[in-house]
Amino acid sequence: MIRITIFGALMLLAILHQDFWWRDDHRTLVFGFLPVSLAYHIGVSIAACLLWGLACRYCWPRDLEVTDGDAETYTPHGGRP
Amino acid sequence: MLLADLPPGQLQLWIIVAYLAALILLGVASTTVFKGTAVDYFVASRGVGPVLLVLSVFGTTMTAFAIQGSSGEAWKSGVGVYGKMASWSGIVHAACFFLVGAKLWSLGKRYGYQTQIQFFRDRLESRNIGVLLFPILALLQMPYIILGILGAGTMIGVATRGAFPHLFPMLDAAGAPMLGHGAVPFWLATLVCTAVVWLYVWLGGARATAWANGLQTIIFLIVGVVTFYFVADRLGGFAQATKMVQEYNPSKLTRAVTAEHHQIYEQRLAEWTAYQSQGREGAVPPTRAAGGAGDALPPRNTEPSKVESQNVEPPEAQGAAQGGGSSGSGGGPKVQGSGEALQGGPEVRGPGVAGADRSSVGILKPHKPKEMTELEFLSYGFIPLSVAMFPHLFQLWLTARSAKSFRLTVTLHPLLIMLIWAPCIAIGIWATSAIAGGKPIVPFTPESPGANANQVLGLMVASLKNPYVSGLLAAGVLAAILGGMDAQFLSLGSMFTHDVVDHYVKHDAMTDRQRLLFGRLFVIAVVLVSWVLTLVLRETRPIFGLAIWCFSGFSALFPLVIGALYWRRMTKWGAYASVITGIGLGVCYYVKAGLEAGFSAPMEPLVPLPGLGQTWAVVPACPMVLAAAAALVLVSLLTRPPARSTVVRFFPAG
């Protein structure tokens, strides 16, 4: 469930990236100097950092680690005979 | 002698020299842990920890564009540049590291891969996939390397103007100093830069590359923040700098262009025209100066009165990194006290004009409002997919100590992008409406013929009259350039060694010692060829237009790698079809754009995409990725599935 929630939130973030609602607002400033659209996208970057952090914490694939003992030296795989 | 007493350009030079010396020291230090094996040389014995991985991956991913190009692009296109490039990259790059990077590391360690082509050969059961992929990867990478060398040489030339007037004189026929008088010459600057990179790559291979990239990332993060602070201070503070944009170029703060924006533009243009016709002192008409590359900026040693009267106009494009660190002192437009032209009571009233300074009215030529469509903004999300197929990034991924090392990279990458891009974007936006000493700091607009957006950051920094900040910026831009170049040299050397010589000449039977030797020799060859090509292509410039398309080319290979990792039904023929379709479409777009605009001219980065009864403008990567994905799926389903042994090897869980 938590995996679905986190990846769902990342999908939502990608959708919310399209901030058409600030599209023509040149008056609103955040902290008195940041154009609202720029401030919003800085927020998107911070949200991406947090969500990918959560994804690494809760959705990290289990089968990725390879020990030195399992590592092979390269030899081309034969594939189909 | 105090540092401040040094001739113009020398302080900047010594900062650059210190930085290059630090890189050599890192290379020498890396030899103390070098194990003398090919695996250690090419992938640092897969022993790089999480912190170094995040710094080196970030340093390699960010090119000079992140510092210099981003400011110029924001100056040209407005605030939307952050969203379409930086915040998209934050989301998509991290996704690529999570879904592709960690998985490729795992397969790379398990089966001993050192190049992408080794992996694809096995996964696709195709001994000759490299015949198709190798030239594509090499050709997509070479323009970046050449542009990097070009940018480094030009940037050092600009930063060191006036440093050695007796050693490197540059005089016109009448004996007057020209722009570039006393600067380190291009051939020498590029030779030194490439030699330094070669030296530490030769000495320490992937480990030295990772260490150098770590240092470079720290440097350009510091540069971004320091430059941001000083520029804001110069413009009278953060709020004042943005207020000027609201009053003169409000469309730069939005993606849309409204009727109000047009109205303000017309009003400001009328004021500027009236100001020009009055012939007031200090007016800077936006006409183009004659002359070749780089000759339009006022020379350092020109008399002040002469400088004042010159049109400070955009020179020809001078390479990707040109303008960075330009003249901290010397003959630029005269600049007076901080924010002096930004105060005073309101003079002009109109929609959105809150209170322009009386003395600034008419000085600035407004930028013509330009809309960024929502589809263009959306389609830029396809560009960052390119990182999944960068050979040099693949090489760095393989250096990771464990899969878990990627976690920090995935998490922090969006934040690091924000830290470097947001200040540079803000500076670019402020540059549209920045006045100092009664003159615009950037004395041309994007509509001026030959306008070079890459100069914007350099001009903003030059207005500070602070050689320390100029020197720091020069080192920062150089760090961004060299940070990518070292890994590119190494990855091309590795590809030549493993995918060409070992596979086709030695039939995958090279000894470790031979791999190490050939790897180092090929790195020398790549460095030399790149340097010579840079000198040859410097004046021809087709390379500028080509480089823009390289990202799209790498993006078009994204379906190939994601299919290979996650779709067991993907076949060799599906892969071939995907690569040929995606890259072929890109070549068609490139040739068409080149024939229309000229191959050496800056090309329109958007292509038409018909659909729903009308034609949409999107980045080329969008149709290229979609077409490549469609070809991959279609042809894979129509051809014989991979052998069971291959499926078991790459998808053991199922």
Side-chain angles (χ1 to χ4, degrees):
Chain A
M1 185 61 188
I2 194 161
R3 293 168 64 94
I4 294 172
T5 307
I6 291 170
F7 283 123
L10 279 165
M11 294 296 289
L12 185 63
L13 183 68
I15 293 167
L16 292 176
H17 177 275
Q18 199 76 13
D19 62 329
F20 56 86
W21 47 91
W22 306 124
R23 199 173 145 67
D24 55 4
D25 185 351
H26 73 262
R27 295 178 193 281
T28 309
L29 299 178
V30 178
F31 304 128
F33 76 97
L34 266 180
V36 66
S37 181
L38 180 58
Y40 176 81
H41 278 281
I42 288 173
V44 168
S45 296
I46 295 169
C49 170
L50 294 173
L51 286 175
W52 279 115
L54 288 173
C56 289
R57 174 74 179 81
Y58 295 106
C59 314
W60 193 252
R62 269 170 272 172
D63 55 351
L64 290 181
E65 289 301 344
V66 179
T67 62
D68 289 342
D70 291 334
E72 302 172 8
T73 52
Y74 175 68
T75 47
H77 171 57
R80 194 187 302 280
Chain B
M1 181 187 279
L2 293 172
L3 285 176
D5 296 331
L6 288 171
Q10 277 205 13
L11 181 63
Q12 287 94 320
L13 178 70
W14 290 119
I15 292 174
I16 292 168
V17 167
Y19 162 68
L20 294 176
L23 290 181
I24 294 173
L25 279 178
L26 279 179
V28 172
S30 71
T31 59
T32 60
V33 285
F34 183 52
K35 296 173 183 168
T37 64
V39 172
D40 201 55
Y41 184 73
F42 288 118
V43 294
S45 296
R46 305 182 202 273
V48 169
V51 174
L52 188 55
L53 188 69
V54 70
L55 292 176
S56 60
V57 165
F58 181 72
T60 303
T61 313
M62 294 293 116
T63 62
F65 190 86
I67 292 184
Q68 195 175 38
S70 59
S71 292
E73 194 60 31
W75 170 80
K76 203 162 67 175
S77 306
V79 74
V81 170
Y82 183 89
K84 76 177 184 181
M85 292 183 172
S87 65
W88 255 143
S89 295
I91 298 170
V92 177
H93 283 184
C96 289
F97 300 157
F98 188 99
L99 296 171
V100 178
K103 186 100 172 162
L104 280 177
W105 172 87
S106 179
L107 291 168
K109 179 161 184 180
R110 184 176 299 278
Y111 300 123
Y113 300 134
Q114 295 193 35
T115 69
Q116 291 160 305
I117 289 170
Q118 286 178 334
F119 160 69
F120 284 117
R121 270 205 304 257
D122 278 8
R123 168 62 184 86
L124 300 173
E125 305 166 323
S126 171
R127 285 185 53 78
N128 292 316
I129 185 73
V131 174
L132 179 66
L133 273 184
F134 179 82
I136 289 173
L137 294 173
L139 285 175
L140 289 176
Q141 209 164 20
M142 277 309 283
Y144 277 116
I145 294 177
I146 294 170
L147 265 182
I149 300 173
L150 199 62
T154 311
M155 197 277 304
I156 290 175
V158 172
T160 60
R161 285 200 308 247
F164 303 103
H166 301 296
L167 199 58
F168 305 119
M170 191 180 287
L171 307 170
D172 62 16
M178 297 168 64
L179 186 78
H181 179 62
V184 176
F186 182 83
W187 69 267
L188 181 59
T190 51
L191 183 65
V192 170
C193 282
T194 46
V196 167
V197 175
W198 162 76
L199 184 60
Y200 72 76
V201 173
W202 169 277
L203 288 171
R207 186 174 292 101
T209 300
W211 288 7
N213 276 306
L215 172 72
Q216 284 150 347
T217 298
I218 292 167
I219 288 176
F220 66 71
L221 282 173
I222 292 170
V223 166
V225 175
V226 167
T227 308
F228 178 62
Y229 173 78
F230 278 100
V231 167
D233 186 55
R234 179 73 185 91
L235 299 176
F238 299 108
Q240 183 62 44
T242 305
K243 187 179 165 199
M244 287 294 285
V245 185
Q246 282 182 313
E247 293 173 358
Y248 281 87
N249 291 293
S251 65
K252 298 294 179 185
L253 302 176
T254 62
R255 300 202 297 275
V257 175
T258 64
E260 185 186 0
H261 294 163
H262 279 299
Q263 202 175 347
I264 293 170
Y265 170 70
E266 297 296 340
Q267 183 184 344
R268 293 301 188 190
L269 189 62
E271 290 165 7
W272 179 82
T273 308
Y275 185 85
Q276 300 302 302
S277 63
Q278 287 167 15
R280 284 175 52 172
E281 185 187 350
V284 184
T287 53
R288 187 175 178 284
D295 61 359
L297 278 176
R300 283 172 167 275
N301 296 338
T302 307
E303 291 174 9
S305 59
K306 193 175 173 183
V307 173
E308 293 291 313
S309 65
Q310 284 191 7
N311 295 335
V312 187
E313 265 303 298
E316 301 274 7
Q318 292 181 32
Q322 194 240 22
S326 63
S327 58
S329 58
K334 279 199 165 183
V335 179
Q336 296 163 19
S338 176
E340 85 184 288
L342 309 175
Q343 300 156 7
E347 168 74 16
V348 180
R349 289 291 175 214
V353 181
D357 169 23
R358 177 186 298 271
S359 63
S360 70
V361 170
I363 290 175
L364 276 172
K365 186 183 182 188
H367 294 202
K368 191 174 183 181
K370 186 184 170 195
E371 179 152 349
M372 186 184 294
T373 69
E374 288 303 292
L375 191 61
E376 175 191 346
F377 187 72
L378 178 67
S379 73
Y380 263 84
F382 283 87
I383 298 277
L385 294 174
S386 53
V387 300
M389 275 300 288
F390 282 162
H392 52 292
L393 209 51
F394 175 84
Q395 188 97 23
L396 273 179
W397 288 339
L398 293 187
T399 65
R401 184 183 301 153
S402 66
K404 284 181 181 170
S405 299
F406 280 81
R407 289 181 175 184
L408 199 62
T409 302
V410 172
T411 305
L412 289 186
H413 195 78
L415 201 62
L416 291 174
I417 288 179
M418 187 270 283
L419 287 176
I420 190 72
W421 277 74
C424 294
I425 295 284
I427 291 170
I429 294 166
W430 292 340
T432 62
S433 314
I435 296 174
K439 292 180 180 179
I441 291 178
V442 181
F444 49 85
T445 69
E447 293 77 44
S448 304
N452 183 1
N454 283 332
Q455 282 196 315
V456 169
L457 186 61
L459 288 168
M460 293 293 277
V461 172
S463 77
L464 301 174
K465 296 278 187 185
N466 184 332
Y468 294 97
V469 179
S470 289
L472 193 60
L473 178 68
V477 174
L478 208 55
I481 292 169
L482 303 189
M485 206 193 295
D486 52 11
Q488 287 168 332
F489 284 152
L490 188 67
S491 68
L492 274 178
S494 177
M495 285 161 61
F496 272 113
T497 303
H498 293 101
D499 299 330
V500 178
V501 179
D502 193 18
H503 185 63
Y504 286 105
V505 180
K506 300 284 186 181
H507 305 291
D508 297 305
M510 259 184 166
T511 64
D512 191 80
R513 181 178 283 273
Q514 285 174 323
R515 284 201 187 98
L516 180 60
L517 178 66
F518 273 90
R520 282 179 155 166
L521 291 176
F522 275 122
V523 168
I524 295 177
V526 171
V527 169
L528 278 176
V529 168
S530 308
W531 181 63
V532 171
L533 276 177
T534 305
L535 296 183
V536 171
L537 295 175
R538 185 189 175 197
E539 302 300 333
T540 57
R541 296 186 53 210
I543 198 77
F544 298 126
L546 185 60
I548 300 167
W549 294 77
C550 291
F551 270 114
S552 297
F554 282 117
S555 296
L557 300 175
F558 177 76
L560 173 74
V561 70
I562 204 79
L565 290 173
Y566 290 98
W567 192 34
R568 67 187 62 200
R569 183 66 178 77
M570 176 182 163
T571 68
K572 169 172 76 173
W573 297 114
Y576 277 97
S578 175
V579 173
I580 291 168
T581 305
I583 298 296
L585 189 60
V587 170
C588 290
Y589 281 137
Y590 174 70
V591 171
K592 185 169 180 288
L595 290 175
E596 287 170 359
F599 285 97
S600 60
M603 293 183 195
E604 174 59 51
L606 301 177
V607 296
L609 184 67
L612 299 175
Q614 58 177 314
T615 302
W616 311 87
V618 296
V619 292
C622 173
M624 287 164 72
V625 171
L626 295 177
L632 185 144
V633 172
L634 195 65
V635 176
S636 289
L637 290 176
L638 291 174
T639 49
R640 195 164 57 142
R644 177 154 179 77
S645 63
T646 301
V647 173
V648 170
R649 183 176 170 89
F650 290 98
F651 303 93

